[in-house]
Amino acid sequence: MESRRLLITGFTPFGSNTINPSWEAVSRLPRHIGSFHLRPCAIPTVFGEAAQTVLREAAVFDPHVILCVGQAGGREAVAPERIAVNIRDARIPDNAGFQPSGEYVLPEGPAAYFSTVPVNAMAQAIRAAGLPGAVSNSAGAFVCNDTLYTLLHHYAGTHVRVGFLHVPYLPQQGAPSLPLEQIVSALIAAISALEV
Ligand code: PCA
């Protein structure tokens, strides 16, 4: 089978966290899943910078699919995000000390974009692997949403697919949580659902 390139990212720790399960899991993924060849990349939890880091990496790697992964404290399931909104509204400062309140991601952009990966199939594949998976209809208004929105805007009308998965805390961060191996397995299941 012809190999396809998947750029997959995880975020640096932010706020009061000293670890980010998204990067912990992404950095432990195998380099090949099904027909995909993976390029893992750590990105900063900084408005704007996060998406720019993905775009710089994508300019070199030329991915068919981009999947970003982020931490969502309080979530119980690994959640493919359905939508990104044109809003920056932060409860805490990002890692550069920036805390926007009700600003646009892109003043000239549309209100929202739908993700261009099959979110229902991905959530279903996670559940079929015996793990908690559920589609989410809100990626929030912090750096994760900002990154997904910016990438969907950039790749709108192209063949590059863009998706986002939020993952729960690791057990050492609080509850609810999911062990690292299970987050890794859920990501593998979700990536396998991109084959169809
Ligand atoms: N989660 C944050 C930003 C970085 C991360 O891992 C979010 O949900 O926006």
Side-chain angles (χ1 to χ4, degrees), residues 109-124:
Y113 281 104
F114 286 115
S115 153
T116 49
V117 294
V119 290
N120 288 312
M122 291 163 80
Q124 177 58 42

Side-chain angles (χ1 to χ4, degrees), residues 65-166:
V65 183
I66 300 174
L67 268 188
C68 300
V69 184
Q71 161 186 313
R75 297 270 185 93
E76 295 188 358
V78 173
E81 295 290 349
R82 198 193 302 277
I83 193 165
V85 297
N86 190 7
I87 281 294
R88 292 177 160 181
D89 201 34
R91 195 172 34 80
I92 55 167
D94 70 10
N95 285 358
F98 181 47
Q99 189 176 359
S101 172
E103 299 177 15
Y104 294 117
V105 177
L106 284 172
E108 76 285 8
Y113 281 104
F114 286 115
S115 153
T116 49
V117 294
V119 290
N120 288 312
M122 291 163 80
Q124 177 58 42
I126 295 167
R127 291 194 296 272
L131 298 161
V135 172
S136 163
N137 292 310
S138 173
F142 193 47
V143 177
C144 290
N145 171 76
D146 194 74
T147 305
L148 180 58
Y149 183 93
T150 305
L151 294 174
L152 287 168
H153 181 80
H154 183 90
Y155 289 105
T158 75
H159 290 297
V160 179
R161 310 268 208 101
V162 180
F164 197 102
L165 287 143
H166 262 126

Side-chain angles (χ1 to χ4, degrees), residues 18-87:
T18 54
I19 192 168
N20 192 317
S22 66
W23 176 243
E24 295 304 316
V26 165
S27 61
R28 284 168 176 78
L29 287 169
R31 287 305 169 98
H32 294 274
I33 299 174
S35 67
F36 285 103
H37 168 57
L38 277 66
R39 163 83 62 110
C41 177
I43 63 175
T45 302
V46 176
F47 279 102
E49 266 295 308
Q52 292 312 315
T53 305
V54 179
L55 290 174
R56 275 197 300 273
E57 193 69 21
V60 178
F61 186 57
D62 190 22
H64 299 86
V65 183
I66 300 174
L67 268 188
C68 300
V69 184
Q71 161 186 313
R75 297 270 185 93
E76 295 188 358
V78 173
E81 295 290 349
R82 198 193 302 277
I83 193 165
V85 297
N86 190 7
I87 281 294

